[in-house]
Amino acid sequence: MENIVIGIVGMSCQNCVKGIAAVLQALPGVERVEVSLAAGQASVTFDAGRLTVAQLRDAIESAGFDVS
Ligand code: 9UX
């Protein structure tokens, strides 16, 4: 398992946090997701054999947020 912290721009409330967490959690290969509104970032533990960091970033952007 690999862990990455991705900066997220545009989260304004806890529903944003929940939405991003749900989108990331739904990707096959994602094991653990922690999204922080205060820190503006997501910490994701994932199986690098099944998923790339680019796919994680794409999923966040598809949900309507910018990745920093
Ligand atoms: Mo809260 Mo986020 O009303 O797009 S869900 S700002």
Side-chain angles (χ1 to χ4, degrees):
M1 287 292 163
E2 203 162 307
N3 183 263
I4 182 136
V5 174
I6 302 172
I8 303 169
V9 179
M11 290 193 292
S12 307
C13 79
Q14 284 300 334
N15 289 320
C16 297
V17 170
K18 284 181 198 161
I20 291 172
V23 157
L24 292 174
Q25 200 73 67
L27 297 173
V30 169
E31 180 172 286
R32 183 170 178 278
V33 177
E34 202 178 310
V35 181
S36 168
L37 177 62
Q41 63 187 30
S43 174
V44 185
T45 304
F46 65 104
D47 181 349
R50 298 176 67 191
L51 202 60
T52 64
V53 173
Q55 285 174 302
L56 294 170
R57 299 167 75 96
D58 285 350
I60 293 169
E61 287 176 344
S62 295
F65 298 89
D66 289 324
V67 170
S68 64

